[in-house]
Amino acid sequence: MNKQRILLIIPAYNESEGIIKVVEVVKQYISKIELEIDYVVINDGSTDNEEEVLREYNITHIELIQNLGIGGAVQTGYMYALENSYDIAVQFDGDGQHDIHSLPNLIEPILNDEADFTVGSRFLDESNSEFKSSKSRQLGIKILSSLIYMSSKIKIKDVTSGYRAGNRKAIEQFVKRYPRQYPEPESYMHLFSKNIRVKEVGVRMFERTTGVSSINLIKGVNYMVSVSLAILASSILGKEK
């Protein structure tokens, strides 16, 4: 079997303080393994000096002229993966939350043709992640997980995890359509409707040390209501198709 070409998609918005460290960790890991891995940082219209930093350190990146949000930034990465004929695309946060050493766990089911798409989870028994997020967010994640299960009969525990990987079939699907507002939980409904095999695997995550989360306490309630409606709408549209 030919060696699979793997791309790390690293979305980053105003991450000038930490993006160099994230990329260095990735590059060091890549240099020590046999897998064929590249990376691309998606500068999502940052208003700090992130672009200057990326250029100064000669980091492979795409500069978006305006902020598209996490959905638009990640979809840009999937477009790059498809255009450059990568076999697997991995979403990897630019804020340092994802452990690069969990990458083998994430892509193994894809390499073994057991899944088309994988999601890295903090909540499975085999996960060695000490960081689980706040109690309020864990409650919200459980509610969304239950809603997805009721809509699809498929259980995903860590539905808001951004540490995910997909094969060419998943890449092509996300190039065609990738949710902009609530990409992680809503995208599962699109995958299920296209019979794309999804598997959850245990990974390790860290608490962010730089940047600001896109979801705060003030936006929390609105987020839960809006994403729940988006999941239900996606489920209905998928069944109609």
Side-chain angles (χ1 to χ4, degrees), residues 9-43:
I9 300 170
I10 309 177
Y13 175 67
N14 290 347
E15 296 287 356
S16 60
E17 291 184 20
I19 192 62
I20 298 301
K21 182 178 179 181
V22 170
V23 171
E24 283 302 314
V25 169
V26 167
K27 290 170 69 175
Q28 288 177 17
Y29 179 78
I30 291 174
S31 68
K32 297 176 182 178
I33 61 175
E34 296 182 358
L35 295 172
E36 186 176 343
I37 303 176
D38 296 322
Y39 72 88
V40 60
V41 174
I42 311 298
N43 178 8

Side-chain angles (χ1 to χ4, degrees), residues 82-151:
L82 184 62
E83 290 174 1
N84 291 278
S85 302
Y86 284 96
D87 301 295
I88 298 174
V90 179
Q91 298 173 218
F92 191 83
D93 281 359
D95 57 16
Q97 283 192 295
H98 298 161
D99 183 6
I100 190 64
H101 294 91
S102 291
L103 183 63
N105 289 349
L106 191 66
I107 65 175
E108 183 177 10
I110 297 175
L111 294 174
N112 294 335
D113 195 27
E114 298 169 359
D116 301 307
F117 190 80
T118 58
V119 51
S121 176
R122 295 162 285 183
F123 306 130
L124 295 183
D125 292 339
E126 62 265 30
S127 170
N128 60 350
S129 182
E130 296 179 3
F131 173 65
K132 305 289 187 182
S133 193
S134 66
K135 294 295 183 182
S136 59
R137 288 194 180 188
Q138 287 188 53
L139 176 59
I141 290 169
K142 287 181 179 179
I143 292 173
L144 294 178
S145 176
S146 297
L147 184 58
I148 289 176
Y149 179 74
M150 287 188 291
S151 302

Side-chain angles (χ1 to χ4, degrees), residues 42 44 64 66-79 91 164 173-188 190 214-215 223 226-227 230 234:
I42 311 298
D44 189 21
L64 301 180
Q66 67 182 49
N67 178 251
L68 298 182
I70 185 64
V74 171
Q75 188 178 39
T76 299
Y78 278 114
M79 291 177 177
Q91 298 173 218
R164 315 194 302 172
Q173 171 60 26
F174 282 155
V175 165
K176 294 176 183 176
R177 182 176 185 181
Y178 193 79
R180 293 298 179 94
Q181 288 187 298
Y182 318 108
E184 286 85 14
E186 188 181 350
S187 63
Y188 292 114
H190 300 318
S214 60
I215 303 174
Y223 173 85
S226 299
V227 74
S234 297

